[in-house]
Amino acid sequence: MLCDDCRNKPASIFFKEVLPDKTVELHLCDECASKRGLLVTKKLSPQEILQKLLRQKSAQDEKIICPNCYMSLAEFKRVGRFGCNQCITTFDDHIKHLIKQIHQSDRHIGRKSSSGTKKGFEIYKLREDLKNALDSEAYEDAAKIRDKLKDYGIEDA
Amino acid sequence: MHDNIRWLIPSSDKTLPCGEESEIVVSSRIRVARNLENIPFELKMKQTDAEYLIGLVRSIIDGKVNGEFLNLRDLKPLERESLLECHLVSPGFITKEKPTSVFISEGGNLSVMINEEDHLRFQGIGCGLNFSGLSSEVFRLEGYVSDNVSFAYNDNYGYLTSCLTNIGTGMRASVFMHLPGLVFTNEVEKVLKGALQIGMTVRGIYGEGSEIRGSLFQISNQHTIGFKEEDLLERITKLAKMIIDIEKKARDVIMTKARSEFEDKIFRSVAILKAARTINSMEVLNLLSALRFGVGVGIVKDITLQTLNEIMVLSRPANIQLYFGEMLEEQERDIKRAEYIRKRLGAN
Ligand SMILES: [Zn+2]
Ligand SMILES: [Zn+2]
């Protein structure tokens, strides 16, 4: 395919942009793409590096399974996203190098998560308990849980 | 105008003041991804988890920051589209099947998407270059939530995210720049390649043709781990300032070498916007680019950047329909868009 701009050299870059009214698709040669100021570099984006790395599959991938959400390493490689926070510890040996290749570092030095009072999680537990109590028709328990939720300012439970 | 679309017109007194260099920097944005440790991530979460999370975050933020929660499923398609055009939500967010909700602060500068690819995506957006102002706002909001829940976090990798490309700080900062000078002097590639070398992603958004049409570029950090948040913001600020300097020099070149040619383009653009009876949003984008340049170099004196920013957002397809409070076919839309712009620029 020839370059859409110069109609002379072979197109080496496919460019697609979604604009407010339409989608523009262009096939350009390196030179014309750079004239337009569209990136001409072979440097891969983090997303592209990740996709490339995830294509490296192994037979054991099916057997490494997160105990919390049951995602397997194979599934992770297929979808490219974790199922829960414990997937990351479960797959650690297999993803450490991915992080390093994507970000050129695998060590967080930024903000630390504060461990203050975690009211939200307790509310979550109570709501789950309430649901279970109602399911098993334990209405007295349910009333007690509702009172506790009210202490947290939750009136609609 | 429909009452449900207050986000379209942020009350100006409550909006963050514009940051520096707002004639070149259209906007700055910070986005921070967070997940709760006790709920499965978005991919595996149940409907009840999603509903619970919305209620929880609402109970935490309500009363702390003025604003409103919008459940996406309660909105009309046009309203969802409008949130996207206002950069308050992401494209993937408005098509999700799960219950999703977005919090929008009163001034429109802060938002939180709930049940996006990560449980929470905090966002701050403002005009001009203003990362320090934005980051304190965004992290203040994030702090209210983190005081009440445990985020998914580990000491090695920091904040854990659905996708590895966001792990660590979970933070993506981006700056949206208007660079007609660099396009004119053919320096865009050189400058943007430099940006890539220091770990930034660059995306070009161009108008048809070249020169001062379009000329919009977005720069953001590629890496989210291995840096402190402040350092990432400082790096992108420094880079933006360096590009601003080169852009200003290039504008000087234009003003000495091609002044009348550019003046002609600018005044023709003003004239078209003030006179057109029908206009599509792509043409508006191109004409606004010329106008923004004209305002920046002092050729256009009676139009403010704020007006241009407003037209840029409001003239988009869904927004213009909501502005007039009716569904419009493409042709009618172009007519109404022209009408709105003429009114906004004080023409008849
Ligand atoms: Zn070509
Ligand atoms: Zn898991």
Side-chain angles (χ1 to χ4, degrees):
Chain A
M1 178 174 281
L2 284 177
C3 166
D4 288 333
D5 271 8
C6 64
R7 300 253 162 232
N8 183 19
K9 285 181 216 152
S12 54
I13 286 158
F14 174 63
F15 180 84
K16 186 173 173 180
E17 181 76 56
V18 181
L19 294 165
D21 280 1
K22 59 181 172 183
T23 301
V24 179
E25 293 184 359
L26 278 175
H27 297 266
L28 301 171
C29 69
D30 279 17
E31 203 177 306
C32 293
S34 83
K35 272 190 201 144
R36 280 181 178 257
L38 302 171
L39 227 6
V40 191
T41 167
K42 304 296 174 218
K43 205 169 163 181
L44 296 174
S45 74
Q47 201 61 48
E48 288 163 329
I49 299 171
L50 178 65
Q51 289 312 322
K52 219 175 101 188
L53 292 169
L54 292 179
R55 281 197 287 270
Q56 301 164 3
K57 299 192 176 14
S58 135
Q60 54 163 357
D61 291 352
E62 294 286 352
K63 290 186 199 114
I64 302 165
I65 293 165
C66 170
N68 187 45
C69 75
Y70 308 110
M71 176 179 269
S72 68
L73 182 56
E75 184 184 357
F76 170 68
K77 288 188 177 178
R78 223 165 34 240
V79 296
R81 284 158 64 191
F82 296 116
C84 76
N85 63 328
Q86 289 180 43
C87 290
I88 296 163
T89 21
T90 312
F91 307 150
D92 198 14
D93 292 344
H94 308 270
I95 60 168
K96 210 174 188 57
H97 72 285
L98 304 186
I99 298 180
K100 187 115 195 186
Q101 285 191 59
I102 295 166
H103 294 291
Q104 287 152 25
S105 166
D106 57 9
R107 185 101 200 130
H108 178 62
I109 58 166
R111 283 170 171 258
K112 295 208 180 330
S113 186
S114 65
S115 48
T117 53
K118 301 300 184 187
K119 192 177 89 169
F121 178 58
E122 280 151 38
I123 296 172
Y124 180 59
K125 290 272 284 185
L126 287 171
R127 280 196 192 256
E128 291 287 293
D129 292 348
L130 178 62
K131 216 164 37 190
N132 293 336
L134 291 173
D135 284 349
S136 56
E137 299 182 0
Y139 297 113
E140 266 180 44
D141 291 348
K144 278 182 201 153
I145 297 167
R146 280 210 180 90
D147 286 341
K148 283 189 196 162
L149 279 166
K150 275 189 188 135
D151 292 342
Y152 284 111
I154 310 279
E155 302 282 347
D156 62 342
Chain B
M1 202 190 313
H2 197 276
D3 183 47
N4 222 1
I5 49 159
R6 289 174 293 280
W7 67 82
L8 264 185
I9 316 281
S11 47
S12 52
D13 52 322
K14 298 210 177 67
T15 310
L16 268 182
C18 242
E20 295 168 56
E21 311 284 1
S22 51
E23 75 278 7
I24 294 174
V25 177
V26 180
S27 63
S28 318
R29 190 174 355 171
I30 295 178
R31 192 216 67 199
V32 175
R34 294 286 186 263
N35 291 282
L36 274 68
E37 81 178 355
N38 311 100
I39 308 177
F41 285 1
E42 195 267 339
L43 191 68
K44 295 268 181 184
M45 83 195 304
K46 294 193 232 55
Q47 162 119 358
T48 48
D49 294 327
E51 276 161 3
Y52 157 71
L53 189 59
I54 292 171
L56 170 61
V57 173
R58 190 171 188 152
S59 73
I60 294 170
I61 293 178
D62 260 350
K64 295 216 175 58
V65 184
N66 291 334
E68 59 180 333
F69 280 85
L70 301 166
N71 291 327
L72 275 273
R73 60 159 70 145
D74 299 338
L75 299 180
K76 299 186 188 80
L78 209 54
E79 293 169 332
R80 287 197 283 264
E81 201 62 41
S82 163
L83 288 174
L84 184 62
E85 291 179 356
C86 295
H87 304 290
L88 290 164
V89 300
S90 58
F93 190 65
I94 59 173
T95 54
K96 285 219 181 297
E97 304 256 321
K98 280 199 181 65
T100 51
S101 184
V102 60
F103 169 77
I104 302 168
S105 71
E106 203 168 28
N109 285 100
L110 291 171
S111 63
V112 187
M113 279 182 276
I114 309 173
N115 300 329
E116 218 265 9
E117 179 187 294
D118 293 298
H119 290 153
L120 304 172
R121 289 268 174 101
F122 297 90
Q123 184 186 264
I125 186 166
C127 60
L129 188 60
N130 181 16
F131 283 120
S132 55
L134 278 180
S135 81
S136 59
E137 293 279 306
V138 171
F139 283 109
R140 187 168 56 91
L141 188 56
E142 185 261 3
Y144 293 137
V145 181
S146 83
D147 284 346
N148 288 286
V149 303
S150 291
F151 284 139
Y153 178 89
N154 93 28
D155 284 335
N156 283 325
Y157 299 144
Y159 291 96
L160 307 177
T161 48
S162 273
C163 183
L164 281 178
T165 53
N166 299 313
I167 204 165
T169 57
M171 187 181 80
R172 186 93 51 211
S174 46
V175 57
F176 197 49
M177 304 183 87
H178 181 233
L179 305 172
L182 293 189
V183 174
F184 179 78
T185 57
N186 267 321
E187 291 174 288
V188 171
E189 206 207 353
K190 185 186 81 188
V191 168
L192 301 187
K193 259 192 179 154
L196 275 164
Q197 291 313 315
I198 60 165
M200 301 287 165
T201 305
V202 184
R203 205 164 142 264
I205 297 157
Y206 70 98
E208 284 157 305
S210 55
E211 294 155 74
I212 55 174
R213 296 170 148 206
S215 307
L216 292 164
F217 297 89
Q218 187 181 30
I219 300 169
S220 46
N221 61 301
Q222 270 188 349
H223 306 309
T224 52
I225 188 169
F227 293 94
K228 289 197 165 109
E229 288 82 354
E230 314 84 274
D231 295 342
L232 276 173
L233 295 174
E234 200 189 303
R235 279 166 88 99
I236 193 166
T237 302
K238 261 194 185 153
L239 174 68
K241 285 190 170 159
M242 192 196 83
I243 296 175
I244 288 165
D245 281 345
I246 308 173
E247 170 66 20
K248 282 183 176 166
K249 288 196 187 97
R251 290 181 180 202
D252 290 343
V253 172
I254 291 178
M255 294 308 277
T256 50
K257 284 194 180 158
R259 185 176 178 121
S260 37
E261 183 196 326
F262 271 69
E263 266 181 353
D264 182 65
K265 268 189 189 129
I266 292 160
F267 285 118
R268 279 171 189 268
S269 303
V270 177
I272 293 172
L273 287 170
K274 282 188 174 174
R277 260 45 189 174
T278 166
I279 195 163
N280 68 37
S281 50
M282 189 63 220
E283 188 179 0
V284 172
L285 202 66
N286 287 330
L287 296 170
L288 285 180
S289 173
L291 241 69
R292 179 173 276 274
F293 179 81
V295 172
V297 296
I299 290 175
V300 177
K301 295 195 171 70
D302 57 343
I303 299 173
T304 64
L305 284 175
Q306 209 172 0
T307 306
L308 297 185
N309 288 345
E310 186 202 294
I311 295 174
M312 190 150 90
V313 174
L314 273 186
S315 61
R316 303 193 67 182
N319 284 343
I320 199 70
Q321 295 178 68
L322 286 183
Y323 181 81
F324 283 98
E326 52 187 326
M327 299 275 281
L328 300 165
E329 294 296 322
E330 199 174 325
Q331 272 187 339
E332 300 171 295
R333 213 190 296 159
D334 290 350
I335 293 169
K336 287 289 190 186
R337 180 181 293 116
E339 181 187 321
Y340 153 72
I341 294 171
R342 290 199 307 275
K343 208 170 110 197
R344 199 64 192 79
L345 294 178
N348 291 309

